[in-house]
Amino acid sequence: TEQSENIAEAVLRCCQAAGYTDGPLNFDIMLSGDKVVVLEMSPRTGGNGIPTLISTATGFDTQAATCEYALGLEPMTRTHPPTAAGSMVFGASSSGIIQRIATGATIEMVPEVVESVVSHTRGDLAGTFDNGGNALGYAVFRLASGLSYQDMTARLKEALSLALEPACTSER
């Protein structure tokens, strides 16, 4: 698509300006119509389950390919036809002390979940999820036929079972 081409061109321009010619690349962009703004780039495979998401959707193992490349080997590019997959980063709508939160193992009991990480436990402080530093974890999932992304994220929010108590904001 034209949008994909615009993204590729913007990232390529940034790579050329930085002198980055090969290897893994993680980037964040913002789109506004046909305008692409590259917010951040780093030479890594990505966080929040992105390598698992790519592998689930395409069969391409970015982590194995990166290791093979680093060892001077020709990376294996095994893939399968694209399948519907998604991911969700968990976060709290307001800050507070966690009173209840599921474990990654509990989240993985939700059908279609491929991988899940919950990085916080009961008693931890959860910040308002307005930036990646306040994430509580993530899940990567397949989208079965007839299941929308919104349906799946609603299931995950329910499974996360997050309950907070307001954090004390003043000294006594």
Side-chain angles (χ1 to χ4, degrees), residues 82-104:
T83 58
S87 67
M88 176 184 182
V89 178
F90 303 129
S93 59
S94 61
S95 64
I97 305 297
I98 297 174
Q99 296 302 299
R100 185 178 65 241
I101 191 168
T103 64

Side-chain angles (χ1 to χ4, degrees), residues 6 85 107:
N6 290 344
I107 301 294

Side-chain angles (χ1 to χ4, degrees), residues 68 85 106 132 168:
E68 290 162 351
T106 301
C168 183

Side-chain angles (χ1 to χ4, degrees), residues 50-66:
I50 296 300
T52 301
L53 176 60
I54 292 169
S55 178
T56 301
T58 68
F60 180 69
D61 188 335
T62 59
Q63 292 175 317
T66 299

Side-chain angles (χ1 to χ4, degrees), residues 48-49 53 86-91 107 115-117 129 136-141 149-150 152-158 160:
N48 293 328
L53 176 60
S87 67
M88 176 184 182
V89 178
F90 303 129
I107 301 294
E115 177 180 274
S116 180
V117 170
F129 186 43
L136 301 175
Y138 67 86
V140 175
F141 50 88
Y149 180 84
Q150 290 78 11
M152 190 64 196
T153 57
R155 285 185 190 177
L156 291 169
K157 285 178 188 175
E158 185 177 334
L160 186 62

